Amino acid sequence: MKKYILITALMLVFILYFSLFAQEPYKLPPKEIVDIVTAPPIPRTSISPTGELMVLAEYEAMPSIAYMAQPLLRIAGIRITPKNNSRQQTTFYTSLTIKNLKDGSTIRTALPEGTKCGFPRWSFDGKWLAFTRYLETGVELWVVEAKSGKAKSLTPHEINAALSSGFRWMPDNRHLLVNMVLENRGNPPKPPAVPIGPTVQETSGKSSKVWTYQDLLTSPYDEDLFDYYATSQIVEIDVISGNIRKIGSPGIYSNTSHSPNGNFILVNKIKRPYSYSVPYSRFTHTVEIWDRNGKMVHLLADMPLADEVPLRGVSTGPRPIGWRSMEPATLVWAEALDEGDPEKEVPHRDKIMTLSAPFKDEPKEITRIQHRYSGISWMQTKGMAFITESDWKRRWRTTYLINVDNPNISPKKVFDLSSQDRYNNPGSPISKVTEAGERILVLDNDWIYLSGRGASPEGDRPFLDRMNIETMEKQRLFHSGKTSYETFVDFVGDSKSQIIISNESKSEPPNYYLVNLRTNERRSLTDFKDPAPQLTGIKKQLIKYRRNDGVELSGTLYLPPDYEEGERLPLVIWAYPREYSDPKIAGQVSGSPYRFTFFRGTSQLFFVTQGYALLDGAQMPVVGDPKTMNETFIDQIVSSAKAAIDKLNSTGIIDPKRVGVGGHSYGAFMTANLLAHCDLFAAGVARSGAYNRTLTPFGFQSERRTLWEAPDLYFKISPFMHADKINEPILLIHGEADNNSGTFPIQSKRLYHAVKGHGATARLVMLPYESHGYSARESVLHVLAEMFEWLDKYVKNKN
């Protein structure tokens, strides 16, 4: 009898012990939250290159956890769904409607019941749409004739979408270049029943400071899987006749693009040996130029494994390679003059090179630039282009007007400012796509067009300007209203007097309008309704305050619809630290108080529905010399947090004893540090963060020094190293399949155990099959329920 009692007691202890660590059923937040989260989202849209048509794509906002639990390969830095040989997809489009923007008529495309497809892509002439359709056994390619709305399948379910979307339009707008699964390729490799030996890596004399990438190759078996799923046959498909023509031989092609005249194909072809240290984008590969039949006419580059690229540097050799617009077949690229190392002192960092068909001559140098090449934008005028360079150390960006065909014309500086300066940002030049697929800047005589956010101390007011590239004169054509948020979307056809804008306000969701710039008349193009009308009454305002070192700060304050003046509410501060060199720029206001508020996914905005005040996007700038600013990281985020709380306390809106803090990724890192180094908060929520910086030894964010160069800093700002000081309750949430560099799931696990080891209060929630962000319906609802319960217990209802 005693033995039976003892065994029973031990079993109860055993059951109790494991029940503390067993999986729990998924939770649900309050029903009104479930209704909002699961409501159909507003369709996504895309306007045709001619500006005459718009496609509206309805979609499923969240997959099920059953879908997320399907077999998945995590190899070479990507995630492949083996059943259909594609990248893992978490958003599927279910219906397509084409709207004529001139007369307002619509055509709903007839698709098979239960269709799950990718977002459609316009042909360059706007006459066709192409998209992939995902099936249980593969991926099909479909097209829609825009005029009639009729859809048809072009291929069996054999599209290879492992490394790309699987297709792209050709310049003639009749053919598509498509990656297909190999015919009769057989079954996938089987894992070895018995290891043939250990997995070995060796290094000697190579300096390979790489980020902490995840989902990498780990074994010869992984290499075989990558070969099997990534190898494709390139084909050309006629969208009218459906004829399929093979081009070249099978290979692992990471990218393909046609010359504007359609006679050549630029191909990136991956080859062995592979690497267990970097993703496939850095594997050894060749850059080849083929004719339209797949015969190689020129080997442009044979690129080695890019595992020795300096931190925040670039690869040596050609990069990025692209076709020059308004030329039949001319390539342009940059090459580093500093061995790709941003720390080397050189007069010029990059040179810009070019090579034209028939690709028999040596490449020619166009120009040299002082800082790192950031891109080139071509104009319709022969040889004219904007070339942009960036100085990473200063966070500076400069754009020049150049004539690549006439070196005797000196480059003209057009834009020159901090890449972080929102107030003085002139906007981005408007471009268009020609019928051959060339992207060029919109140019009227000497006038270009600029679209910008229009940041100001009162918030963003987007604009459309035109600027004379000879005189630098500017004229404002459109400016968002003061109590709404209006953005330029596109011109209507070739006309510059009619534009399409998106208009939204605090109470109205974004909708599209046709605006006549001469008469200011506008016509509604869409009528999307508020997906959560029950939350329309939520109060929203821009809050400004100042840190004790004089840095100006701001954030958006949300209050419940039934808030009454004088009532002191519990507060949640949600933030993400950002780094700045200039304190004046750090304090610039970001965002607009007049934008419509969408309640989606695991958004912190849902706290407002539970009776909290929320300070969202609370600025947490880390200001200083880029090399040393993190020495004061903790002091600066604590000072910013205190300034926010003091400001809201002075208004009588919040109870300073009931304040919670939260953040995602680097915001989670901030949250844990705040709980460790100050007593301003009652509790915190940290999602998908990195808390031990020794696990990211070659830098993080903009930190240039390695762990071995600055060991004291890495220790100082790692919350894990100060877990004994985290004496406020912390909720840690992490996806078990997080693939973001640095935020390994073990980061949250180890912090939880460290906090637990010091007797503090913590809860660790590991979400099955979820990555850095959370996708599945069940996961999203569970995260909201966890956050509500945690802060209700330790903040709202704090004794």
Side-chain angles (χ1 to χ4, degrees), residues 291-355:
D291 64 20
R292 193 159 177 171
N293 294 316
K295 179 183 177 181
M296 187 172 72
V297 298
H298 182 67
L299 176 64
L300 184 63
D302 193 344
M303 302 294 290
L305 178 68
D307 65 346
E308 296 182 73
V309 177
L311 289 176
R312 295 172 185 82
V314 297
S315 301
T316 56
R319 58 153 241 287
I321 307 167
W323 295 106
R324 173 177 164 179
S325 299
M326 309 311 295
E327 286 290 314
T330 297
L331 290 168
V332 176
W333 66 88
E335 290 185 25
L337 295 170
D338 58 0
E339 298 181 342
D341 188 349
E343 297 298 334
K344 285 195 172 183
E345 296 296 331
V346 293
H348 298 95
R349 295 223 171 267
D350 282 329
K351 61 180 179 180
I352 312 303
M353 307 294 292
T354 186
L355 181 65

Coordinates of all heavy atoms in Angstrom, one line a residue, residues 291-355:
D291 N 22.2 34.6 -75.9 CA 21.3 35.1 -76.9 C 19.9 34.5 -76.6 O 19.7 33.8 -75.6 CB 21.8 34.7 -78.3 CG 21.8 33.2 -78.5 OD1 21.1 32.4 -77.8 OD2 22.5 32.7 -79.5
R292 N 18.9 34.8 -77.4 CA 17.6 34.4 -77.1 C 17.3 32.9 -77.2 O 16.3 32.4 -76.7 CB 16.6 35.1 -78.1 CG 15.1 35.1 -77.7 CD 14.3 36.1 -78.3 NE 12.9 36.0 -77.9 CZ 12.0 36.9 -78.2 NH1 12.3 38.0 -78.8 NH2 10.7 36.7 -77.8
N293 N 18.3 32.2 -77.7 CA 18.2 30.7 -77.8 C 18.9 30.0 -76.7 O 18.9 28.8 -76.6 CB 18.7 30.2 -79.1 CG 17.9 30.7 -80.3 OD1 16.7 30.6 -80.3 ND2 18.6 31.1 -81.4
G294 N 19.5 30.8 -75.8 CA 20.2 30.2 -74.6 C 21.7 29.9 -74.8 O 22.3 29.3 -74.0
K295 N 22.2 30.4 -75.9 CA 23.7 30.2 -76.2 C 24.4 31.4 -75.5 O 24.1 32.5 -75.7 CB 24.0 30.2 -77.6 CG 25.4 30.0 -78.0 CD 25.7 30.1 -79.5 CE 27.2 30.0 -79.8 NZ 27.5 30.1 -81.2
M296 N 25.5 31.0 -74.7 CA 26.2 32.0 -74.0 C 27.1 32.8 -75.0 O 27.9 32.2 -75.8 CB 27.1 31.5 -72.9 CG 27.8 32.5 -72.1 SD 28.7 31.9 -70.6 CE 30.1 31.1 -71.4
V297 N 26.9 34.1 -75.1 CA 27.8 34.9 -76.0 C 28.9 35.6 -75.3 O 29.8 36.1 -75.9 CB 26.9 35.9 -76.8 CG1 25.8 35.2 -77.6 CG2 26.2 36.9 -75.8
H298 N 28.8 35.7 -73.9 CA 29.8 36.4 -73.2 C 29.7 36.0 -71.7 O 28.6 36.0 -71.1 CB 29.7 37.9 -73.3 CG 30.8 38.7 -72.6 ND1 32.1 38.6 -73.0 CD2 30.8 39.5 -71.5 CE1 32.8 39.4 -72.2 NE2 32.0 39.9 -71.3
L299 N 30.9 35.7 -71.1 CA 30.9 35.5 -69.7 C 31.4 36.8 -69.0 O 32.5 37.2 -69.1 CB 31.9 34.4 -69.3 CG 32.2 34.1 -67.8 CD1 30.9 33.6 -67.1 CD2 33.3 33.1 -67.6
L300 N 30.4 37.5 -68.4 CA 30.7 38.8 -67.8 C 31.6 38.7 -66.6 O 32.5 39.5 -66.3 CB 29.4 39.6 -67.6 CG 29.6 41.0 -67.1 CD1 30.3 41.9 -68.1 CD2 28.2 41.6 -66.7
A301 N 31.2 37.7 -65.7 CA 31.9 37.6 -64.4 C 31.8 36.2 -63.9 O 30.8 35.5 -64.1 CB 31.4 38.6 -63.4
D302 N 32.9 35.8 -63.2 CA 32.9 34.5 -62.5 C 33.1 34.8 -61.0 O 34.2 35.1 -60.6 CB 34.0 33.6 -63.1 CG 33.8 32.1 -62.6 OD1 33.0 31.9 -61.6 OD2 34.4 31.2 -63.2
M303 N 32.0 34.9 -60.3 CA 32.1 35.5 -58.9 C 32.4 34.4 -57.9 O 31.7 33.4 -57.8 CB 30.8 36.2 -58.6 CG 30.4 37.3 -59.6 SD 31.5 38.7 -59.5 CE 31.1 39.4 -57.9
P304 N 33.4 34.6 -57.1 CA 33.7 33.7 -56.0 C 32.7 33.7 -54.9 O 31.9 34.6 -54.8 CB 35.1 34.1 -55.6 CG 35.1 35.6 -55.8 CD 34.3 35.8 -57.0
L305 N 32.9 32.8 -54.0 CA 32.0 32.8 -52.8 C 32.3 34.1 -52.0 O 33.4 34.5 -51.7 CB 32.4 31.6 -51.9 CG 31.7 31.4 -50.6 CD1 30.2 31.1 -50.8 CD2 32.4 30.4 -49.7
A306 N 31.1 34.7 -51.6 CA 31.2 36.0 -51.0 C 31.1 35.9 -49.4 O 30.2 36.3 -48.8 CB 30.1 37.0 -51.5
D307 N 32.1 35.2 -48.9 CA 32.1 35.0 -47.4 C 33.2 35.8 -46.7 O 33.4 35.7 -45.5 CB 32.2 33.5 -47.0 CG 33.5 32.9 -47.4 OD1 34.2 33.5 -48.2 OD2 33.8 31.8 -47.0
E308 N 33.9 36.6 -47.5 CA 34.9 37.5 -46.9 C 34.6 38.9 -47.2 O 35.5 39.8 -47.1 CB 36.3 37.1 -47.6 CG 36.8 35.7 -47.3 CD 38.1 35.4 -47.8 OE1 39.1 35.9 -47.3 OE2 38.2 34.7 -48.8
V309 N 33.4 39.3 -47.4 CA 33.0 40.6 -47.6 C 33.2 41.4 -46.3 O 32.6 41.0 -45.3 CB 31.6 40.7 -48.1 CG1 31.1 42.2 -48.3 CG2 31.4 40.0 -49.5
P310 N 33.9 42.5 -46.3 CA 34.0 43.3 -45.0 C 32.7 43.7 -44.5 O 31.7 43.9 -45.2 CB 34.8 44.5 -45.5 CG 35.5 44.1 -46.8 CD 34.6 43.1 -47.4
L311 N 32.6 43.8 -43.2 CA 31.4 44.2 -42.5 C 30.9 45.5 -43.1 O 31.7 46.5 -43.2 CB 31.6 44.4 -41.0 CG 31.8 43.1 -40.2 CD1 32.1 43.4 -38.8 CD2 30.6 42.2 -40.3
R312 N 29.6 45.5 -43.5 CA 29.0 46.7 -44.1 C 29.7 47.1 -45.4 O 29.6 48.3 -45.8 CB 28.9 47.9 -43.2 CG 28.0 47.5 -42.0 CD 28.0 48.6 -40.9 NE 27.1 48.1 -39.8 CZ 27.6 47.2 -38.9 NH1 28.8 46.8 -38.9 NH2 26.8 46.8 -37.9
G313 N 30.4 46.2 -46.0 CA 31.1 46.4 -47.3 C 30.3 45.8 -48.4 O 29.2 45.4 -48.3
V314 N 31.0 45.7 -49.5 CA 30.4 45.1 -50.8 C 31.4 44.1 -51.4 O 32.6 44.1 -51.0 CB 30.0 46.2 -51.8 CG1 29.0 47.1 -51.3 CG2 31.3 46.9 -52.2
S315 N 30.9 43.2 -52.2 CA 31.7 42.3 -52.9 C 32.6 43.0 -53.9 O 32.2 44.1 -54.5 CB 30.8 41.3 -53.7 OG 30.0 40.6 -52.7
T316 N 33.7 42.4 -54.2 CA 34.5 42.9 -55.3 C 33.9 42.3 -56.6 O 33.2 41.3 -56.6 CB 36.0 42.5 -55.2 OG1 36.1 41.1 -55.0 CG2 36.6 43.2 -53.9
G317 N 34.3 42.9 -57.7 CA 33.7 42.4 -59.0 C 32.4 43.2 -59.3 O 31.9 44.1 -58.6
P318 N 31.8 42.9 -60.5 CA 30.6 43.7 -60.9 C 29.4 43.5 -60.0 O 29.1 42.4 -59.5 CB 30.3 43.1 -62.3 CG 31.6 42.5 -62.8 CD 32.3 42.0 -61.5
R319 N 28.8 44.7 -59.7 CA 27.6 44.7 -58.8 C 26.9 46.0 -59.0 O 27.6 47.0 -59.2 CB 27.9 44.5 -57.4 CG 28.9 45.5 -56.8 CD 28.8 45.8 -55.4 NE 28.5 47.1 -55.1 CZ 29.3 48.2 -55.2 NH1 30.5 48.1 -55.7 NH2 28.9 49.4 -54.9
P320 N 25.6 46.2 -58.8 CA 24.6 45.3 -59.3 C 24.6 45.5 -60.8 O 24.7 46.6 -61.3 CB 23.4 45.7 -58.6 CG 23.5 47.2 -58.4 CD 25.0 47.4 -58.2
I321 N 24.4 44.5 -61.6 CA 24.4 44.5 -63.0 C 23.0 44.7 -63.6 O 22.1 43.9 -63.2 CB 25.1 43.3 -63.6 CG1 26.5 43.1 -62.9 CG2 25.3 43.4 -65.1 CD1 27.0 41.7 -63.2
G322 N 22.8 45.7 -64.5 CA 21.5 45.9 -65.1 C 21.6 46.4 -66.5 O 22.6 47.0 -66.9
W323 N 20.5 46.3 -67.2 CA 20.4 46.8 -68.6 C 20.2 48.3 -68.5 O 19.4 48.8 -67.7 CB 19.3 46.1 -69.3 CG 19.5 44.7 -69.6 CD1 18.9 43.6 -68.9 CD2 20.5 44.1 -70.5 NE1 19.4 42.4 -69.4 CE2 20.4 42.7 -70.3 CE3 21.4 44.6 -71.4 CZ2 21.1 41.8 -71.1 CZ3 22.1 43.7 -72.1 CH2 22.0 42.3 -72.0
R324 N 20.9 49.0 -69.4 CA 20.7 50.5 -69.5 C 19.4 50.8 -70.3 O 19.1 50.2 -71.3 CB 21.9 51.1 -70.2 CG 21.7 52.6 -70.5 CD 22.9 53.2 -71.2 NE 22.6 54.5 -71.8 CZ 23.5 55.2 -72.5 NH1 24.8 54.8 -72.5 NH2 23.1 56.4 -73.0
S325 N 18.5 51.6 -69.7 CA 17.3 52.0 -70.4 C 17.6 52.9 -71.6 O 18.6 53.6 -71.7 CB 16.4 52.8 -69.4 OG 16.0 52.0 -68.3
M326 N 16.7 52.8 -72.6 CA 16.8 53.5 -73.9 C 18.0 53.2 -74.7 O 18.4 53.9 -75.6 CB 16.8 55.0 -73.6 CG 15.7 55.5 -72.6 SD 14.0 54.9 -73.1 CE 13.8 55.7 -74.7
E327 N 18.6 52.0 -74.5 CA 19.6 51.5 -75.3 C 19.2 50.0 -75.6 O 18.7 49.3 -74.8 CB 21.0 51.5 -74.6 CG 21.6 52.9 -74.6 CD 22.0 53.4 -75.9 OE1 22.7 52.6 -76.7 OE2 21.7 54.6 -76.3
P328 N 19.5 49.5 -76.8 CA 19.1 48.2 -77.2 C 19.6 47.1 -76.3 O 18.9 46.2 -75.8 CB 19.6 48.0 -78.7 CG 19.9 49.4 -79.1 CD 20.2 50.2 -78.0
A329 N 20.9 47.1 -76.0 CA 21.5 46.0 -75.2 C 22.9 46.5 -74.6 O 23.9 46.2 -75.2 CB 21.7 44.8 -76.0
T330 N 22.8 47.3 -73.6 CA 24.0 47.8 -72.9 C 23.8 47.6 -71.4 O 22.8 47.9 -70.8 CB 24.1 49.3 -73.2 OG1 24.3 49.6 -74.6 CG2 25.3 49.9 -72.4
L331 N 24.9 47.0 -70.9 CA 24.9 46.7 -69.4 C 25.7 47.8 -68.7 O 26.7 48.4 -69.2 CB 25.6 45.4 -69.1 CG 24.8 44.1 -69.6 CD1 25.6 42.9 -69.6 CD2 23.5 44.0 -68.7
V332 N 25.3 48.1 -67.4 CA 25.9 49.0 -66.6 C 26.1 48.4 -65.2 O 25.1 47.7 -64.7 CB 25.1 50.4 -66.5 CG1 25.8 51.3 -65.5 CG2 25.0 51.0 -67.9
W333 N 27.2 48.6 -64.5 CA 27.4 48.1 -63.2 C 28.5 48.9 -62.5 O 29.1 49.8 -63.0 CB 27.8 46.6 -63.2 CG 29.2 46.4 -63.9 CD1 30.4 46.3 -63.2 CD2 29.4 46.1 -65.3 NE1 31.4 46.1 -64.1 CE2 30.8 45.9 -65.4 CE3 28.6 46.0 -66.4 CZ2 31.4 45.6 -66.6 CZ3 29.2 45.7 -67.6 CH2 30.6 45.5 -67.7
A334 N 28.6 48.6 -61.2 CA 29.6 49.3 -60.4 C 30.7 48.2 -59.9 O 30.4 47.0 -59.9 CB 29.0 49.9 -59.1
E335 N 31.9 48.7 -59.7 CA 33.0 47.9 -59.1 C 33.7 48.6 -58.1 O 33.9 49.8 -58.2 CB 33.9 47.4 -60.2 CG 33.4 46.5 -61.2 CD 34.4 46.0 -62.2 OE1 35.6 46.0 -61.9 OE2 34.1 45.6 -63.3
A336 N 34.0 48.0 -57.0 CA 34.6 48.6 -55.8 C 36.1 48.9 -56.1 O 36.8 48.1 -56.7 CB 34.5 47.7 -54.6
L337 N 36.5 50.1 -55.7 CA 37.9 50.5 -55.8 C 38.6 50.4 -54.5 O 39.8 50.8 -54.4 CB 38.0 51.9 -56.4 CG 37.5 52.1 -57.8 CD1 37.4 53.6 -58.2 CD2 38.4 51.3 -58.8
D338 N 37.9 50.0 -53.4 CA 38.4 49.9 -52.1 C 38.4 48.5 -51.5 O 38.4 48.3 -50.3 CB 37.7 50.9 -51.1 CG 36.2 50.5 -51.1 OD1 35.8 49.6 -51.8 OD2 35.4 51.2 -50.3
E339 N 38.4 47.5 -52.4 CA 38.3 46.1 -52.1 C 37.0 45.9 -51.3 O 36.9 44.9 -50.6 CB 39.5 45.7 -51.3 CG 40.8 45.8 -52.1 CD 42.0 45.3 -51.3 OE1 41.9 45.2 -50.1 OE2 43.0 45.0 -51.9
G340 N 36.0 46.7 -51.5 CA 34.7 46.6 -50.8 C 34.7 46.9 -49.4 O 33.7 46.7 -48.7
D341 N 35.8 47.5 -48.9 CA 35.9 47.8 -47.4 C 35.6 49.3 -47.1 O 36.4 50.2 -47.5 CB 37.4 47.5 -47.0 CG 37.6 47.5 -45.5 OD1 36.7 48.0 -44.8 OD2 38.6 47.1 -45.0
P342 N 34.6 49.5 -46.4 CA 34.2 50.9 -46.1 C 35.2 51.6 -45.2 O 35.1 52.9 -45.1 CB 32.8 50.8 -45.5 CG 32.8 49.5 -44.9 CD 33.6 48.6 -45.8
E343 N 36.0 50.9 -44.5 CA 37.0 51.5 -43.6 C 38.3 52.0 -44.3 O 39.1 52.7 -43.7 CB 37.3 50.5 -42.5 CG 36.1 50.1 -41.6 CD 35.5 51.3 -40.8 OE1 36.2 52.2 -40.6 OE2 34.3 51.2 -40.5
K344 N 38.5 51.6 -45.5 CA 39.7 52.0 -46.2 C 39.5 53.4 -46.7 O 38.5 53.8 -47.2 CB 40.0 51.0 -47.4 CG 40.5 49.7 -46.9 CD 41.1 48.9 -48.1 CE 41.9 47.7 -47.6 NZ 42.5 47.0 -48.7
E345 N 40.6 54.2 -46.6 CA 40.6 55.5 -47.1 C 41.1 55.6 -48.5 O 42.2 55.2 -48.8 CB 41.5 56.4 -46.2 CG 41.0 56.5 -44.7 CD 39.7 57.2 -44.6 OE1 39.4 58.1 -45.5 OE2 39.0 56.9 -43.7
V346 N 40.2 55.9 -49.4 CA 40.5 56.0 -50.9 C 39.8 57.2 -51.4 O 38.8 57.7 -50.9 CB 40.0 54.7 -51.6 CG1 40.8 53.5 -51.2 CG2 38.5 54.5 -51.4
P347 N 40.4 57.7 -52.5 CA 39.7 58.9 -53.1 C 38.4 58.6 -53.8 O 37.5 59.5 -53.8 CB 40.8 59.4 -54.2 CG 41.6 58.2 -54.5 CD 41.6 57.4 -53.2
H348 N 38.3 57.4 -54.3 CA 37.0 57.0 -54.9 C 36.7 55.6 -54.5 O 37.5 54.7 -54.5 CB 37.1 57.0 -56.4 CG 37.3 58.4 -57.0 ND1 38.6 58.8 -57.3 CD2 36.5 59.4 -57.3 CE1 38.5 60.1 -57.8 NE2 37.3 60.4 -57.8
R349 N 35.4 55.3 -54.1 CA 35.0 54.0 -53.6 C 34.6 53.1 -54.8 O 34.9 51.9 -54.7 CB 33.9 54.1 -52.6 CG 34.3 54.8 -51.3 CD 33.8 54.0 -50.1 NE 34.4 54.7 -48.9 CZ 35.5 54.2 -48.3 NH1 36.1 53.2 -48.8 NH2 36.0 54.8 -47.3
D350 N 34.0 53.6 -55.8 CA 33.4 52.8 -56.9 C 33.7 53.4 -58.2 O 33.9 54.7 -58.3 CB 31.9 52.6 -56.7 CG 31.5 51.6 -55.7 OD1 32.3 50.6 -55.5 OD2 30.5 51.8 -55.1
K351 N 33.8 52.6 -59.2 CA 33.8 53.0 -60.6 C 32.6 52.4 -61.3 O 32.1 51.3 -61.0 CB 35.1 52.6 -61.3 CG 35.3 51.2 -61.4 CD 36.7 50.9 -62.1 CE 36.9 49.4 -62.2 NZ 38.2 49.1 -62.9
I352 N 32.0 53.2 -62.2 CA 30.8 52.7 -63.0 C 31.3 52.3 -64.4 O 32.0 53.0 -65.1 CB 29.8 53.8 -63.1 CG1 29.6 54.5 -61.7 CG2 28.5 53.3 -63.6 CD1 29.2 53.5 -60.6
M353 N 30.9 51.0 -64.7 CA 31.4 50.4 -65.9 C 30.2 50.1 -66.9 O 29.0 50.0 -66.5 CB 32.1 49.1 -65.6 CG 33.2 49.2 -64.6 SD 34.6 50.3 -65.2 CE 35.2 49.2 -66.5
T354 N 30.5 50.0 -68.2 CA 29.5 49.7 -69.2 C 30.1 48.8 -70.3 O 31.3 48.8 -70.5 CB 28.9 51.0 -69.8 OG1 27.8 50.6 -70.6 CG2 30.0 51.7 -70.6
L355 N 29.2 48.0 -70.9 CA 29.5 47.1 -72.0 C 28.3 46.9 -72.9 O 27.2 46.6 -72.4 CB 30.0 45.8 -71.4 CG 30.5 44.7 -72.5 CD1 31.7 45.2 -73.2 CD2 30.7 43.4 -71.8

